[in-house]
Amino acid sequence: MINRRTLRAGLMGVALCIAAAPGLVQAQSLRVLQGNNARPLDVPMNRAVVVESDRPFAELSIANPNIADISSLSDRTIYVLGKTPGRTTLTILGADGNLLSNVDVHVTPDIEEFKERLAQILPGEPIEVRTANDGIVLSGTVSSISRLDRALELAQRYAPESVSNLMSVGGTQQVMLRVRFAEMSRSVSQSLSSSLALGGTALGGDLGLSAGTNTLSSNAGRTGALSGALPASGTSNGSTLFGFNAGGVEIGLLLEALESRGVVRTLAEPNLTALSGQEASFLAGGEYPVPISQEDGAVSVDYKPFGVELTFIPTVVDGDLINLELRAAVSSIDSSNGFTSGSFTIDAFRRRETSTTVEMRDGESFAIAGLLQDDFSDLSGQVPWLGDVPVLGALFRSASYERRQTELVIIITPHLVTPTRGEALALPTDRVRPPSERDLFLFGRTEAPAAGAAGEIARQDFSGSYGYVLD
């Protein structure tokens, strides 16, 4: 009796579970057909492959017809055409409707043709080509960046937006740029002037006369010239004063001559090293403070750089061919042209700069900038009408002229360089040591002799060549 009740309770529980889960009953009525899974089929894009089946088939189906197109040539032969890179599945059914096989179709870019074109365009470059998923993977070491760019551009033709770059660039990729700034400025100025001073009384002292020209037109100048003394304000390198009396009239004649010549030579040779494709900058000089007034009345300070400035981006294009994007400038403070407001003065700047892009090989030089400037000015002044009198008119005239010539040349030379061991390099400070008290007070030496190889260099004469040595 107990067993029957237990059995009835169990059957009722099973029935309730089945009624509560109808989906489970439906799922148990489905099954996945298992056929012979053939090995994956690789089809190049825009190429066709003919596949033969071991058994006759009745129906074919492709999962994604946009990736591959199929057609039957017979009951055992299938024609597969690759259209776009990707993966899809080919299903083959028999005459009884049973699954014969599932074939994974993998459409890849046509790398065989790509390899041929790559070998023709870039011969000798060890570039390895592989397919990955829907794209092309390039690996290996190329000789220059330009060849790397050509390989990537060609790969984009076969797999647009699906190219992976694992290539690296071999060879030397660090560039040292040597820049020489040379400027020569010459100036010549000459001036010649004459001044005449008259003084005296007439008619028993009732009528006085005092007159002068040029430098002697002031009271102090006339008084000094008539008393036999040169004017204190004279700035000429050469001056001669003649004076004599004509009755009650004193006459003073002052001849002034000035000639000045000046030469200024400026030379700078900055050297800077940078990795290919990276920017490097250089400044040898300083920064000049410029006050700037704010809207609230406060004053801030902005600093303007001056000196020798250099900024460049080197790119090793092919082998020893170097592309240079360069900006160079030479500036200095010009106190003669400034701005004065209240109690402070802001100086002006003289600046010569250039910006250009050039290509050259290792060790070659290029004059990227040159300036030839020739300024000339002359001035002639005279007393009206009296200066036009022949011979005597020279006493009432003054003339001066000034000429300034400036030449500026900027020459650049790039070098491919590699790092070296630190022991092979020497600093200028290695040749000088601070003196001891004995050397300073007893022998008057401002530096102590260095030992070793640096000391041998320090004891040599400085009359020879100097600078950087490049092998």
Side-chain angles (χ1 to χ4, degrees), residues 43 51 62 115 119 189 225 252 295 386 403 433 452 462:
V43 181
V51 182
I62 190 72
K115 289 180 179 180
S189 62
E295 295 181 356
L386 296 179
R403 185 175 186 180
R433 291 191 305 154
F462 284 95

Side-chain angles (χ1 to χ4, degrees), residues 331-393:
S331 59
S332 59
I333 298 176
D334 187 5
S335 301
S336 60
N337 297 318
F339 171 76
T340 302
S341 177
S343 60
F344 64 89
T345 301
I346 303 176
D347 295 328
F349 287 88
R350 297 178 65 248
R351 184 177 180 87
R352 286 81 68 202
E353 63 180 330
T354 181
S355 176
T356 185
T357 301
V358 295
E359 281 189 358
M360 61 187 70
R361 299 194 178 275
D362 179 17
E364 294 181 343
S365 296
F366 219 123
I368 62 170
L371 171 65
L372 297 177
Q373 186 175 355
D374 191 350
D375 297 331
F376 174 79
S377 63
D378 58 358
L379 177 64
S380 178
Q382 66 179 19
V383 177
W385 302 299
L386 296 179
D388 297 330
V389 177
V391 182
L392 294 179

Side-chain angles (χ1 to χ4, degrees), residues 241-263:
L241 178 63
F242 300 94
F244 58 92
N245 297 331
V249 179
E250 295 181 350
I251 299 176
L253 178 62
L254 177 65
L255 299 179
E256 296 176 297
L258 169 66
E259 181 177 5
S260 62
R261 300 176 182 269
V263 176

Side-chain angles (χ1 to χ4, degrees), residues 4-65:
R4 290 180 178 178
R5 291 178 179 177
T6 304
L7 181 59
R8 289 177 180 177
L11 293 176
M12 291 178 64
V14 173
L16 291 174
C17 292
I18 294 175
L24 180 62
V25 177
Q26 296 176 4
Q28 290 178 350
S29 64
L30 300 177
R31 67 186 182 90
V32 178
L33 297 178
Q34 300 292 334
N36 296 326
N37 292 328
R39 62 183 180 85
L41 177 63
D42 294 331
V43 181
M45 186 176 63
N46 298 325
R47 296 286 185 93
V49 175
V50 178
V51 182
E52 186 176 5
S53 176
D54 295 336
R55 290 180 292 175
F57 58 83
E59 186 177 351
L60 300 176
S61 176
I62 190 72
N64 190 347

Side-chain angles (χ1 to χ4, degrees), residues 294-307:
Q294 305 295 331
E295 295 181 356
D296 56 357
V299 177
S300 62
V301 178
D302 187 17
Y303 290 88
K304 301 295 184 180
F306 68 92

